[in-house]
Amino acid sequence: MNNNNDRHHKTAIGVLLAEVPKQQHKLAFCLVLLLCNVSHCLCFCIPTKVLISANSFQHPCAVISTTTTTNNRIVRSIATTNTNNEYESTATTVLQPKLIHKDIDSELVVSDADIKTLGKFKSSLTKIGMLTFITGMCVALPLTLFPINLLHRARILSTKQREYSSLRAGQLSAKWLLRLIPFTSVRIIHDTNNPEPVTEPSVWVCNHSSMIDVFILLATVRRGRPIKVVYWKGLEANPVSKILFQSCGFIPIDMADNGNGNENEYDKSSFKEFLKRSKKAFTDGFDLGVLPEGQLNPTPEKGLLSVYPGAYTLSKMSKMPIRMIALYGTHRLWHPLHGMKPTSRDVRVRIYTQPLTFSSSEEFTKTFETVVGFFGKNGHDSPELQQVLSAHEER
């Protein structure tokens, strides 16, 4: 894909239409047609399961789950640190390739191996798989969300139930399709062997280096306290994104379309409505998800882009703690500038569940860079992790 400062074309449908004709892979189109049929089948079972859970929605507790797809197996990983605050190992729980939500006791040790670089043939197969996955999401999401929105318009579902059900539908669609098309290997890393569910409302912050990030997070977040993501309103130019974001009640924010790599220019007149919807989200039992970089980072190996303090402001005004998530390797699947030219299938998602509070925006920015920026750059925790987190852990 050519480098272009226009953010609108860097959406799933835009890239799909731009990339597939160039490659002229007949196999890709065959897989797309096959997946469309599979997506139609999924659409009959997902809404039923989602709507059943919607009727019993009672502010579910927060838990960021650890689901991974590797060779038709689901993997759960837990990071451990030794007394010297050094990164030590990753314990992994292997689950059967079935949509279940229970822990399995068997554990394996996964080494912190170097990222494997893909050859030309494997890169092409990975790209075909990713395009097929995205096509499936573009088909499955409108079909699974349609009955939910229909019931909401008929006043059978409340707005809160519709938002929760839509989020669950997006999660289930992403998980099923990622299991059917394992184009990537995702390793989820937790703080402890038995992470406790997070029951208190929180502001979650995460780095952002690829358009595939949203699909990875949807596929790896299991049942728990739902998260409303703050997003750039310009993404609603993509009809699929617009349906998903509005159905889930995600919170838009207006800013100028000045391209990746340039400073964000926010429309301050939209802040009042933004803060109002953020407050309501906490009241309705949702957490908030914020991307402090504000745009795609094409060079995470060099560190983060400029970090905006919006998450700190939300945390201070709502008196809710901040919790962090770090992504590593997603830009090697779908690069913000170079497009879909996969160089690796390995992706890591690090969940930091410690509640953090800060006395200033500078403290938040520095901690986010030390914790999330370091992991996004290196794929493992900073040696200073425990010291940094302990200094800001909520008492």
Side-chain angles (χ1 to χ4, degrees):
M1 186 186 339
N2 295 329
N3 184 5
N4 192 320
N5 284 334
D6 184 5
R7 295 180 184 174
H8 288 288
H9 82 289
K10 297 180 181 179
T11 55
I13 291 180
V15 172
L16 183 64
L17 295 176
E19 295 286 343
V20 175
K22 292 180 182 179
Q23 298 299 324
Q24 295 181 348
H25 286 306
K26 293 183 180 180
L27 178 59
F29 290 104
C30 293
L31 290 174
V32 166
L33 293 176
L34 175 62
L35 187 58
C36 288
N37 291 329
V38 173
S39 299
H40 279 283
C41 295
L42 291 178
C43 293
F44 286 100
C45 63
I46 291 177
T48 302
K49 184 173 182 180
V50 167
L51 293 176
I52 291 174
S53 62
N55 291 330
S56 58
F57 173 60
Q58 296 179 348
H59 295 218
C61 61
V63 55
I64 302 297
S65 301
T66 62
T67 315
T68 320
T69 304
T70 307
N71 298 329
N72 293 328
R73 306 177 93 186
I74 310 304
V75 180
R76 170 169 294 139
S77 304
I78 303 97
T80 58
T81 53
N82 58 24
T83 54
N84 295 324
N85 298 330
E86 297 176 350
Y87 186 87
E88 187 177 85
S89 64
T90 304
T92 309
T93 304
V94 179
L95 305 181
Q96 297 299 320
K98 188 178 180 182
L99 281 181
I100 56 177
H101 300 281
K102 61 180 181 179
D103 294 334
I104 306 298
D105 293 333
S106 59
E107 293 186 351
L108 302 174
V109 175
V110 179
S111 62
D112 187 25
D114 292 334
I115 294 295
K116 297 180 181 179
T117 302
L118 297 176
K120 186 175 181 180
F121 178 71
K122 290 186 177 180
S123 177
S124 297
L125 288 180
T126 301
K127 179 176 179 178
I128 291 172
M130 183 160 48
L131 286 169
T132 309
F133 170 83
I134 293 170
T135 303
M137 289 295 293
C138 291
V139 173
L141 284 175
L143 293 178
T144 53
L145 295 176
F146 175 75
I148 297 173
N149 285 300
L150 189 63
L151 291 175
H152 175 254
R153 289 192 176 187
R155 299 185 179 181
I156 297 175
L157 291 181
S158 66
T159 299
K160 181 170 67 176
Q161 289 174 325
R162 182 202 64 177
E163 293 172 348
Y164 176 71
S165 300
S166 298
L167 182 57
R168 290 288 298 130
Q171 292 170 345
L172 289 173
S173 296
K175 289 173 190 175
W176 273 108
L177 290 174
L178 191 57
R179 286 186 171 104
L180 290 171
I181 314 166
F183 67 91
T184 181
S185 173
V186 185
R187 186 183 303 170
I188 313 300
I189 306 171
H190 275 292
D191 299 317
T192 62
N193 291 339
N194 297 298
E196 293 291 330
V198 181
T199 57
E200 63 178 327
S202 307
V203 177
W204 293 88
V205 292
C206 183
N207 58 330
H208 188 30
S209 60
S210 174
M211 282 298 296
I212 203 69
D213 289 351
V214 63
F215 297 123
I216 295 297
L217 292 174
L218 277 175
T220 55
V221 175
R222 292 170 64 186
R223 290 180 180 176
R225 188 180 181 90
I227 300 176
K228 284 191 176 184
V229 178
V230 178
Y231 69 96
W232 174 49
K233 190 174 179 61
L235 293 177
E236 293 180 0
N238 181 328
V240 177
S241 298
K242 183 176 181 179
I243 293 172
L244 176 64
F245 294 170
Q246 291 186 351
S247 296
C248 294
F250 289 175
I251 304 174
I253 190 162
D254 290 330
M255 64 180 179
D257 182 12
N258 52 4
N260 292 325
N262 299 317
E263 292 293 321
N264 292 342
E265 297 178 12
Y266 293 98
D267 181 4
K268 296 182 179 180
S269 64
S270 66
F271 284 0
K272 183 176 180 180
E273 178 65 20
F274 166 72
L275 293 174
K276 179 180 177 181
R277 295 186 62 174
S278 299
K279 181 179 179 180
K280 187 176 186 303
F282 285 125
T283 303
D284 289 344
F286 291 84
D287 286 350
L288 287 182
V290 180
L291 306 174
E293 292 173 283
Q295 56 181 283
L296 293 169
N297 179 5
T299 56
E301 65 277 1
K302 296 181 181 180
L304 299 174
L305 298 176
S306 298
V307 177
Y308 294 89
Y312 164 76
T313 303
L314 281 175
S315 173
K316 183 177 180 180
M317 294 182 65
S318 62
K319 298 182 180 179
M320 304 298 180
I322 290 176
R323 288 180 165 87
M324 299 186 176
I325 301 175
L327 295 174
Y328 173 78
T330 56
H331 70 296
R332 293 187 174 94
L333 287 169
W334 186 349
H335 196 275
L337 301 180
H338 308 306
M340 289 187 185
K341 296 180 180 179
T343 58
S344 174
R345 296 178 64 250
D346 297 315
V347 170
R348 300 177 190 179
V349 183
R350 177 68 164 98
I351 313 296
Y352 303 93
T353 56
Q354 297 97 318
L356 305 176
T357 56
F358 304 93
S359 59
S360 67
S361 59
E362 289 76 16
E363 282 189 358
F364 163 72
T365 299
K366 184 177 180 180
T367 303
F368 186 73
E369 291 174 344
T370 302
V371 177
V372 176
F374 187 93
F375 189 93
K377 178 180 179 180
N378 301 284
H380 61 81
D381 288 335
S382 167
E384 304 174 2
L385 175 67
Q386 295 304 320
Q387 179 181 356
V388 171
L389 295 184
S390 297
H392 300 287
E393 189 167 6
E394 186 182 38
R395 303 299 180 184

